[in-house]
Amino acid sequence: MNTIQSVSAFHRLLSLPEPKHPLVSVINLSESVFLDDEVWKGFVNRFYCVALKKEATGKVRYGQQHYDYDKGVLSFTAPNQVHSLDLQTIDCDGKGYLLIFHEDFLLKHPLAQTILSFGFFSYSVNEALHLSEDEENDLIEILHKIDKECQHIDRHTQEIILSQIDLLLNYSKRFYERQFITRKNGNHQLLAKFEQFLNDYFNQEQAAKNGLLTVQQIAEAMNLSPNYLSDLLRIHTGQNTQQHIHEKLISKAKEKLSSTQLSISEIAYTLGFEHAQSFSTLFKKKTNMAPLEFRAKFKFN
């Protein structure tokens, strides 16, 4: 696997001159020419990338997903993720920008930690952000400011650029939440599919065979990335995927405790737990009662 170590190396692969700043760059796609290089078949890099594609075309693979560029689409990739490009499909005659910043640029700055809270760096590329014209203009204005700041490096440069990057990411978070809300019909279908998956998994007793249900399992079944699914659920329901799984687990546990005489170990097994103690710990955490305490409230004939 090839590794693109630096912003300079990435510039060379796009036939661009040396970057104005060694750790951050705003690249105009219309000025870029992708070198015919083996690196594009599979590579990782050491920088974050925010890509605003406007009337650009091409096929990109990021992680396990393929993505077709579309008009006015914003996508995010993090360091050390596997990428590949199909050069035969790349056409950057349209407008577009790439903001890239090396992970070292964040060192000793609060953004080094807070950037981890922006889940969209872990979204699949097919979950990219679609922008209105006003939203697009807001982000392009920030990109221009970053590019301008790169031209004169002094002791204030890092702080100013990172404050602009932080602003861009917070705008993007707002725009994603807007997208979750405005795509009501599609999202309602996803929520219904999610609920159906949960019900089927427990009602058909798949847990006893396959083990505890995980966020990754549900996300894959719904063809979504785990972070995207959790963010979507949080916006619409106030709970992330793991919280929904736990809620369903406790609901099924209460049902079995109150209506059957299965042992605690048997109930734990049917819900996917390897160890009864793990089940009991979760149940008490969520209900403030041990399973046997809860059962004691019900009488069996």
Side-chain angles (χ1 to χ4, degrees), residues 28-211:
N28 189 329
L29 286 173
S30 65
E31 298 172 356
S32 307
V33 178
F34 289 76
L35 291 183
D36 188 4
D37 194 291
E38 288 292 312
V39 69
W40 301 121
K41 294 182 178 179
F43 65 94
V44 297
N45 58 47
R46 298 297 184 223
F47 42 81
Y48 291 90
C49 179
V50 179
L52 173 59
K53 286 86 63 176
K54 188 177 181 183
E55 300 174 10
T57 62
K59 291 183 184 292
V60 177
R61 187 176 181 87
Y62 177 53
Q64 300 301 312
Q65 301 287 337
H66 281 100
Y67 175 63
D68 293 327
Y69 283 0
D70 199 352
K71 294 181 179 180
V73 173
L74 192 69
S75 59
F76 303 80
T77 58
N80 307 314
Q81 299 294 316
V82 178
H83 302 66
S84 64
L85 303 181
D86 182 353
L87 288 185
Q88 293 183 342
T89 70
I90 298 294
D91 177 11
C92 290
D93 290 337
K95 298 176 182 179
Y97 296 93
L98 297 179
L99 165 63
I100 60 175
F101 50 101
H102 199 280
E103 54 190 350
D104 289 350
F105 189 58
L106 306 179
L107 294 178
K108 298 183 180 180
H109 191 278
L111 190 57
Q113 291 300 316
T114 58
I115 198 169
L116 303 176
S117 69
F118 295 103
F120 42 72
F121 278 107
S122 298
Y123 289 177
S124 299
V125 282
N126 63 316
E127 298 159 347
L129 178 62
H130 293 257
L131 300 171
S132 70
E133 184 176 354
D134 284 344
E135 292 169 345
E136 188 177 305
N137 289 336
D138 285 339
L139 298 188
I140 289 175
E141 182 180 349
I142 295 173
L143 292 175
H144 286 329
K145 288 181 179 178
I146 293 172
D147 187 46
K148 182 178 180 181
E149 188 61 32
C150 286
Q151 298 179 33
H152 48 82
I153 301 174
D154 57 29
R155 64 190 183 91
H156 301 290
T157 300
Q158 182 188 28
E159 183 65 40
I160 292 173
I161 292 178
L162 288 177
S163 67
Q164 292 296 321
I165 291 174
D166 188 46
L167 179 61
L168 185 147
L169 298 180
N170 277 294
Y171 266 123
S172 300
K173 183 177 181 180
R174 168 191 279 177
F175 299 157
Y176 257 116
E177 291 181 2
R178 181 269 308 154
Q179 182 166 293
F180 287 142
I181 293 169
T182 56
R183 293 184 173 185
K184 288 183 179 179
N185 291 336
N187 287 342
H188 285 166
Q189 291 176 359
L190 285 174
L191 293 174
K193 183 178 178 181
F194 170 76
E195 188 63 30
Q196 187 64 51
F197 185 94
L198 277 182
N199 288 333
D200 289 347
Y201 194 85
F202 290 104
N203 292 341
Q204 297 173 11
E205 298 192 350
Q206 297 179 43
K209 180 173 63 176
N210 301 322

Side-chain angles (χ1 to χ4, degrees), residues 209-275:
K209 180 173 63 176
N210 301 322
L212 276 176
L213 183 60
T214 66
V215 174
Q216 185 68 38
Q217 283 176 280
I218 303 179
E220 288 179 358
M222 297 183 65
N223 197 31
L224 298 171
S225 65
N227 276 20
Y228 187 91
L229 175 59
S230 282
D231 286 349
L232 174 67
L233 289 170
R234 191 181 294 109
I235 291 299
H236 286 283
T237 70
Q239 294 183 314
N240 62 28
T241 313
Q242 190 63 63
Q243 289 170 319
H244 277 278
I245 293 173
H246 284 168
E247 189 175 74
K248 183 63 70 173
L249 274 170
I250 298 304
S251 175
K252 298 303 292 185
K254 286 181 175 180
E255 178 184 313
K256 293 179 184 297
L257 286 166
S258 62
S259 63
T260 77
Q261 296 191 55
L262 293 172
S263 70
I264 301 304
S265 293
E266 288 172 328
I267 292 174
Y269 175 76
T270 63
L271 295 175
F273 289 88
E274 289 187 22
H275 306 289

